[in-house]
Structure formats: C-alpha cells, structure tokens
Amino acid sequence: MKRFIFVLAMVTTAIFVWSCSAQPIEQKPDVPKILTTLQDDINQAVKAVEPSLAYAEIGSGRNVSGMTGLVISSSGEILLPAYLKKDSYDRVEVWLNDTGYEASLVQSDERLRVSIMKIQVEAPLTPVNFANADAVQTGQFVLGAVNGGKSNDFKVLVDVGFVRGRNDDGDFDQIQCPGLTSNQGAVMLTLDGRVIAVQLRGAGTSEYSRSLPQNWVVSNEVQKGIDKLTAKAQPSTGPGSNEEKDKGKPWLGFGWAPINEDYAEMIGLPKKGIIVKYTVKNSPMEQAGIKEGDLIIEVDNKPLTKVGAKALESQFVKYLDPEVGKEANLKVLRGADVIPVKVKFAKKPESKEFRADDIGVAVQDITDVDYYERGLFIREGVIVDNILPGSPAGTISGRSYLINRDDVIIELNKTPIKNVDDFIKAVEAIRRDKVAIVLVKTSNGISTSFTALNLKGKK
C-alpha cells in the first residue's frame, strides 16, 4: 500500500511538472473585436474632422468648379486648393453643413496653388488639426476624406488606405487610398483624425509653381504656406510693414529644366542638376553672374540627388524655398569650374494691366519676363492674361474660345496695338463709336489670325 501511494505521488508530481513546462495553448485573435475597434477609430476620426471640411464652388461665367475646403481659423478663414486672382472668378461660395456663405479673397499663393478665403460667421468654427507628417511611417494606415458636396448633402466621404512609401526628403512617395487621389482638396488623416497631407492639384505657369507635386502635399508644407499667407494678410503694425505686406511673387528671373541624363553622360556632366536655359535682363540671376548653360548642382550645401525630371524639379524648388528677400547659395558647374553663387529673391516685376469686360479680355504689357516664360515670338502688342467666359471673346468656337489666354493682340479694329495704352485708346474709340463688330488680329506663336467679335449680343 505504501508503495502504491509512493508511485501515485511520483506520477502526480510528473504530470504537474510536465503541465508547467508545456507550451501554452495559442490564443486566436479576436477578429470581430479588432474590426470593431478599427471601425470605432474610423468613426471617431471622421467625427473629429467633419466640422473642418467645407465644400466650395468657384464660379467664372458659366463654369463652376467644386472642391473641398479646409477651415483654418475659428473666425471664418477657409483654405481652398486653387490659386485665385481678383479678376479670375466671379464668385466663391462656401458651404458648412447645408449653410452657404459668400466668400471673399484674403490671400493666394501661386506656387502652392492655394487661396485663403473669408466667410462671415456668427459662431466660432472648428479649425482643421494638422499633424506632423514626419512622424508618419511607411505601412501606416491612413484615411482619405472629402466633403461630398451638394449631391451628398455635404457629408464627409471616406476611404481607408495606407502609406506605401516615402522618399528621402520625407514626402509621401506612394499612397494607396483608392477613390480619393483625384479629389481636389481631399485630406489624408491619421486614425486619430489629424491631417497629414492635402490633395493639391496645381500646375501653374510660374517658374516655381510648375514643379510642385500635383498629388498629396504634406501637412508641414501646407502649414508653412498658410503661415506665410496669414502673415501677408496682417495689417500694418510698424515701420516697413507695408513693404512686407506687399512683397509680391518671389522671382530670380531665369528659365531652367532638369538636365537630360543621357545628354549629361554623353558630354561628361553630372546627371543630377538643373540647367539654366536663359536669364532675364536685370534679374537677380543675371546680376549674380548666372549664364545660359550653367548647371546648378547644389542649393544651400544640399546636392541635387533625385532620379527623374519631376522629382528633381520638386527637390530643386523645395531646397530654394522661394520667398522675397531670401538668399540662396548655389553651386554652379560651368565647363570644368565649380562656381559658388549667392542670389537673392526679388519681387517679380508686374506689368501694366487692363480689363475690358465688354470685349471679355484682361490684357497686360509684354515684359521680358512674359517674353521668356510664355515662349512668345514678338515683343510688341498686349498679351491676353484672362478670358471672361460667355463674353464676346469667351464665346466657344470648336474646343476653345474665340480669343485665348497667351494670345497676343497686335491690332484692334484696324488700330495697331503696341502696348496697353494703345489698347485702352482703341477700346475707348470702340465704345465711343458704338462699334457692333470688332476685328481682332492676334499672334499665336509664329502665325497670325483675325477674329470677329460680336459686341451687339452682349447684355
């Protein structure tokens, strides 16, 4: 009996020891609970951002563009992903929930292709909450959100995606967020409802705006742009403040393009660089000694390294960080010599402008800047800067207007036009004589053409 009790005790001890040393049973993940938690996070993020996403419509004649806008201040300032000038639109309306407001222009930025508008509100608004985009990692889940506009009762529409990659500069390289990559003004959110990027779709004609990425722009860059625009809009507070307020567009006065890598390899030049195509007379670049054919390989001790023309352009503009009064230290390759050059951004020269609503055009003098930037072939005449849709000049003919932007008017109603003053005199004569049909001679490239505008039909 004692032996039996001893054996039983030994077996019991062995089982206890084995059970303690055995691997624990693997617990399966609670998938429904994980999905429910994710759903709750998405709902909370949408709830957090919904009051900060507006819907806006920009009207110009019969054309109307809709987009998502961002509330950036409690007092009614709205950021729109569009570059607006006072004569480029007829009206801007902003909706918050189902309440519409008329908006007025505060400031706009041609490089970022954004504008700050102001609406009059009685109660404080909820500004969008920006996050630091540098903290976002590859593989992180994100949300895309837009204001659905009139057709969706101004509700927020959401997609779930993730960051596929980031480039060396920290900008988002690839974002998988189906359905939202073409929505102007869409925002990308972290799961806690903070904005890390905005969809800006701009391809401007200025020497810096043309190279800005046309997809997601990180929140850090957007916030920096908002701060600059807000600073410009502040009232004068002391000596020099008026000058700061009216700084204008940053300008170096040169044309450029990424060097062709095959060409660079053939003649023994670096494959990563910006080649100077021309410099404008009396521009900052000409005064700094930059010449046609120079190759810019470094900006402020940061070498240009990107692969591909678009990426290289974007890196170059980012390193320059255009702003009136800012200095840039360039390293230029000229032949076999590497030359350091210091250049300072100046205010871009403005030409005289005139708007003739009865004809439907806004025109300006041709400056050296326009001659190079717009690829003109003549220096006399007035260049068409804007067309009023539905006007005599803005009448549709085929797939374009009768008169188009960048056309050069060289004759109006048989009167030669060399500058804006000539154009004004010709328009005054047309109004005085109540001319019904106006003959316009324009130059477009190396060819000229005549167009008859019917002013009688104008209301």
Side-chain angles (χ1 to χ4, degrees):
M1 186 68 179
K2 291 183 179 179
R3 184 177 180 183
F4 173 77
I5 295 174
F6 175 78
V7 171
L8 180 61
M10 291 295 292
V11 171
T12 303
T13 303
I15 293 174
F16 176 78
V17 172
W18 174 84
S19 64
C20 291
S21 61
Q23 294 294 325
I25 298 175
E26 183 178 355
Q27 295 293 324
K28 293 183 178 180
D30 188 346
V31 175
K33 185 176 181 181
I34 293 173
L35 293 178
T36 301
T37 301
L38 178 61
Q39 183 64 70
D40 290 341
D41 288 342
I42 293 173
N43 292 342
Q44 290 299 319
V46 173
K47 185 177 180 180
V49 79
E50 191 167 17
S52 306
L53 296 186
Y55 175 73
E57 286 186 349
I58 300 173
S60 179
R62 298 177 182 176
N63 298 325
V64 178
S65 300
M67 62 195 67
T68 295
L70 277 65
V71 177
I72 58 172
S73 77
S74 59
S75 59
E77 289 181 318
I78 311 293
L79 181 76
L80 297 187
Y83 173 63
L84 299 178
K85 297 190 296 184
K86 289 184 179 180
D87 60 349
S88 65
Y89 63 95
D90 299 330
R91 64 196 180 280
V92 176
E93 294 179 89
V94 173
W95 281 266
L96 292 169
N97 294 321
D98 56 356
T99 304
Y101 304 86
E102 290 187 6
S104 58
L105 179 64
V106 178
Q107 284 289 336
S108 56
D109 186 292
E110 187 174 10
R111 188 178 77 88
L112 267 183
R113 310 299 291 176
V114 298
S115 301
I116 294 180
M117 310 299 294
K118 182 67 181 290
I119 60 176
Q120 299 299 324
V121 292
E122 296 181 359
L125 303 182
T126 304
V128 68
N129 187 7
F130 286 108
N132 180 10
D134 292 337
V136 179
Q137 303 298 317
T138 299
Q140 181 170 328
F141 282 103
V142 293
L143 306 176
V146 294
N147 187 306
K150 297 177 179 177
S151 59
N152 293 283
D153 297 326
F154 307 102
K155 301 299 183 183
V156 172
L157 306 179
V158 180
D159 279 319
V160 180
F162 58 93
V163 177
R164 295 182 63 191
R166 304 195 67 172
N167 60 30
D168 294 340
D169 290 330
D171 295 338
F172 298 125
D173 188 27
Q174 299 181 63
I175 296 93
Q176 184 65 34
C177 207
L180 289 179
T181 53
S182 61
N183 282 265
Q184 194 169 359
V187 295
M188 188 193 305
L189 311 170
T190 56
L191 289 181
D192 60 359
R194 294 185 297 165
V195 173
I196 53 173
V198 181
Q199 179 74 234
L200 301 182
R201 297 175 57 202
T205 57
S206 80
E207 56 186 323
Y208 303 114
S209 63
R210 64 182 180 144
S211 60
L212 193 74
Q214 296 183 36
N215 294 309
W216 297 104
V217 178
V218 295
S219 55
N220 307 45
E221 182 76 8
V222 176
Q223 184 65 68
K224 185 167 62 175
I226 292 174
D227 292 343
K228 287 182 179 180
L229 290 176
T230 303
K232 287 182 182 179
Q234 295 301 317
S236 304
T237 56
S241 55
N242 287 331
E243 181 182 351
E244 290 297 313
K245 181 180 177 182
D246 191 33
K247 274 188 172 183
K249 301 174 186 176
W251 183 68
L252 290 180
F254 76 120
W256 50 270
I259 191 169
N260 181 280
E261 293 191 10
D262 293 333
Y263 170 77
E265 184 177 9
M266 182 178 67
I267 63 175
L269 291 175
K271 295 181 181 180
K272 306 295 187 294
I274 297 294
I275 194 162
V276 177
K277 299 169 64 177
Y278 64 83
T279 58
V280 178
K281 186 177 181 181
N282 296 322
S283 67
M285 283 297 240
E286 187 198 54
Q287 293 172 358
I290 295 292
K291 301 180 182 296
E292 178 182 341
D294 285 350
L295 185 67
I296 301 172
I297 57 176
E298 191 175 288
V299 180
D300 290 333
N301 298 317
K302 292 176 284 190
L304 298 173
T305 58
K306 290 298 180 182
V307 176
K310 185 177 179 180
L312 192 60
E313 281 189 340
S314 178
Q315 185 183 46
F316 178 57
V317 173
K318 183 173 182 177
Y319 286 173
L320 280 178
D321 190 20
E323 184 177 353
V324 175
K326 182 179 180 294
E327 285 189 342
N329 293 290
L330 309 178
K331 188 171 288 185
V332 173
L333 185 63
R334 182 180 300 161
D337 300 325
V338 176
I339 304 170
V341 176
K342 180 177 288 187
V343 64
K344 186 176 183 179
F345 280 96
K347 179 181 177 180
K348 188 175 184 178
E350 298 178 357
S351 57
K352 187 174 182 179
E353 298 180 347
F354 178 72
R355 175 170 167 166
D357 288 345
D358 44 356
I359 294 176
V361 296
V363 300
Q364 64 181 51
D365 280 329
I366 299 175
T367 64
D368 286 338
V369 177
D370 296 312
Y371 181 79
Y372 285 110
E373 285 191 358
R374 303 197 188 200
L376 304 181
F377 289 83
I378 59 176
R379 292 181 178 271
E380 290 188 346
V382 291
I383 189 166
V384 177
D385 192 52
N386 197 33
I387 299 292
L388 181 62
S391 66
T395 301
I396 298 292
S397 175
R399 295 186 177 181
S400 62
Y401 297 134
L402 291 176
I403 305 292
N404 292 285
R405 191 175 189 272
D406 289 344
D407 284 350
V408 176
I409 298 176
I410 55 178
E411 196 173 288
L412 187 63
N413 209 33
K414 299 181 180 181
T415 301
I417 304 296
K418 293 185 177 181
N419 50 44
V420 167
D421 290 335
D422 289 345
F423 184 82
I424 293 174
K425 291 177 183 178
V427 170
E428 290 174 344
I430 290 169
R431 292 169 177 169
R432 183 179 61 249
D433 299 338
K434 299 181 179 179
V435 177
I437 304 296
V438 173
L439 191 64
V440 183
K441 184 178 181 181
T442 59
S443 171
N444 187 350
I446 59 175
S447 63
T448 58
S449 59
F450 289 89
T451 304
L453 303 182
N454 183 4
L455 305 190
K456 187 182 296 185
K458 185 180 184 303
K459 295 180 181 180

